């Protein structure tokens, strides 16, 4: 039986890409019985009824999956954040980075709307970008309006499944429109009352750009750390994970333990204070989480 990749899921139908053709498929009842839901990004085996329709018979093993947005086998997350309108937020970026790191997905930070910044705002963004680069993250600084820096995205997209993620209104659809103008994706201006954009994307779909596939998604509707345990959080902060190897105690949570190498690195500015503070806040959030039964 033929194999393909689900590139869109909508109203109970799964659109499978096979040899350049899209086959509209339904899932067999066995999936519901076994509580398996096919996801966009899944590699599947299907049975073709004709040139355009078929049934999904098997979902291949996934290397990862996200719940919100529902997508599987993601190679990288392009975290899109605006410099202004809405203002750049390190705490929100770090929430995204923790979730992406926890799911073993490579992040790429893309800061947009640089054309709207004044000189002070521009310098602040450059400083933040360099701090995240020092941690080891790739950071691109772009503008959809002037198309500055957009070319830097292309090498990262090639031969990968990428998910665009970020709060609404930061310019994800605008970036996609520059990368592939024929898409003409709907964009919305920022609400001046709420300071954020309206959702313009309603379903998950993989869009072909060059030799890569990009998921334009409704965004992460949940940024809660529902699955991460307290002992796992440090490994979602690469610089904290590196320093923690020198802690006196193996189970150190880097809060009040003696001879903690992480706290020493914060004191010596080897770890930025705001990143450590986000770690502390997230850890408390995880500890305060109500147990699930």
């Amino acid at each position: 039986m033929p194999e393909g990749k689900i590139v869109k899921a909508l109203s109970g139908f799964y659109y499978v890409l096979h040899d350049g053709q899209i086959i509209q498929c339904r899932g067999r009842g066995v999936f519901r019985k076994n509580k398996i839901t096919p996801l966009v990004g899944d590699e599947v085996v299907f049975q073709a009824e004709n040139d355009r329709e078929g049934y999904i018979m098997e979902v291949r093993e996934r290397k990862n999956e996200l719940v919100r947005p529902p997508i599987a086998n993601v190679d990288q997350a392009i975290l899109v954040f605006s410099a202004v309108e809405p203002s750049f937020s390190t705490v929100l970026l770090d929430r995204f980075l923790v979730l992406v790191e926890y799911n073993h997905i490579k992040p790429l930070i893309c800061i947009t709307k640089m054309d709207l910044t004044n000189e002070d705002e521009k310098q602040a963004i450059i400083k933040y970008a360099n701090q995240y680069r020092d941690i080891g993250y790739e950071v691109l600084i772009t503008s959809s309006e002037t198309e500055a820096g957009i070319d830097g995205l292309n090498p990262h997209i090639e031969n990968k499944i990428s998910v665009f993620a970020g709060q609404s209104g930061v310019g994800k659809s605008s970036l996609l429109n520059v990368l592939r103008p024929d898409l003409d994706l709907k964009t919305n201006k920022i609400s001046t009352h709420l300071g954020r954009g309206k959702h313009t994307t309603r379903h998950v779909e993989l869009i072909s750009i060059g030799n890569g596939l990009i998921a334009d998604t409704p965004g992460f509707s949940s940024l809660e750390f529902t699955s991460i345990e307290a002992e796992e959080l440090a490994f979602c902060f690469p610089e904290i994970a590196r320093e923690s190897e020198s802690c006196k105690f193996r189970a150190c949570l880097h809060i009040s333990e003696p001879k903690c190498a992480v706290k020493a690195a914060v004191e010596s500015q080897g770890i930025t204070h705001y990143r450590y503070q986000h770690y502390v806040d997230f850890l408390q959030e995880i500890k305060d989480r109500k147990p699930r039964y």
Side-chain angles (χ1 to χ4, degrees), residues 9 33 48 55 63 71 117 121 123 138 164 170 233 252 254 261:
K33 182 181 176 183
Y55 286 91
K63 67 178 181 181
I71 187 170
T117 59
E121 291 165 337
Q123 292 306 316
E138 293 259 12
F164 267 32
V170 295
L233 182 63
C252 185
H254 324 300

Side-chain angles (χ1 to χ4, degrees), residues 223-284:
L223 287 173
E224 297 176 0
F225 306 128
T226 52
S227 301
I228 303 174
E229 300 300 331
E231 303 78 31
E232 298 173 309
L233 182 63
F235 297 101
C236 301
F237 286 78
E239 72 276 42
I240 292 177
R242 286 193 292 268
E243 293 293 342
S244 68
E245 294 179 6
S246 301
C247 288
K248 180 179 180 181
F249 297 106
R250 184 175 291 274
C252 185
L253 288 178
H254 324 300
I255 301 296
S256 56
E257 298 88 345
K259 297 186 178 178
C260 171
V262 169
K263 288 189 293 180
V266 175
E267 289 295 322
S268 66
Q269 299 184 334
I271 292 175
T272 59
H273 186 268
Y274 66 84
R275 284 273 292 175
Y276 175 71
Q277 188 57 53
H278 296 163
Y279 166 80
V280 172
D281 294 344
F282 297 166
L283 186 66
Q284 191 60 49

Side-chain angles (χ1 to χ4, degrees), residues 114-115 142-150 178:
M114 287 300 288
D115 56 292
T142 69
S143 165
S144 297
E145 190 67 29
T146 66
E147 300 190 14
I150 302 287
V178 174

Side-chain angles (χ1 to χ4, degrees), residues 172-174 176-177 180-187 207 216:
K172 298 189 294 292
S173 294
S174 297
L176 285 169
N177 284 336
R180 213 183 108 181
D182 64 297
L183 289 173
D184 195 26
L185 294 173
K186 183 182 177 186
T187 60
I207 298 166
D216 184 27

Side-chain angles (χ1 to χ4, degrees), residues 122-147:
K122 179 181 177 182
Q123 292 306 316
I125 291 297
I126 290 171
K127 182 178 179 180
Y128 280 129
N130 287 332
Q131 287 171 340
Y132 280 94
R133 286 175 182 135
D134 287 343
I135 294 167
Y137 292 118
E138 293 259 12
V139 184
L140 298 177
I141 297 178
T142 69
S143 165
S144 297
E145 190 67 29
T146 66
E147 300 190 14

Side-chain angles (χ1 to χ4, degrees), residues 6-21:
I6 299 176
V7 293
K8 183 167 73 169
L10 191 61
S11 304
F13 287 100
Y14 303 99
Y15 297 84
V16 177
L17 179 64
H18 169 72
D19 284 347
Q21 301 293 319

Side-chain angles (χ1 to χ4, degrees), residues 76 78 106 108 138 140 152-158 160 162:
Q76 70 178 352
I78 300 174
K106 182 181 178 182
L108 169 66
E138 293 259 12
L140 298 177
L153 271 171
N154 291 321
H156 295 282
I157 293 168
E158 286 291 293
K160 292 188 179 78
S162 306

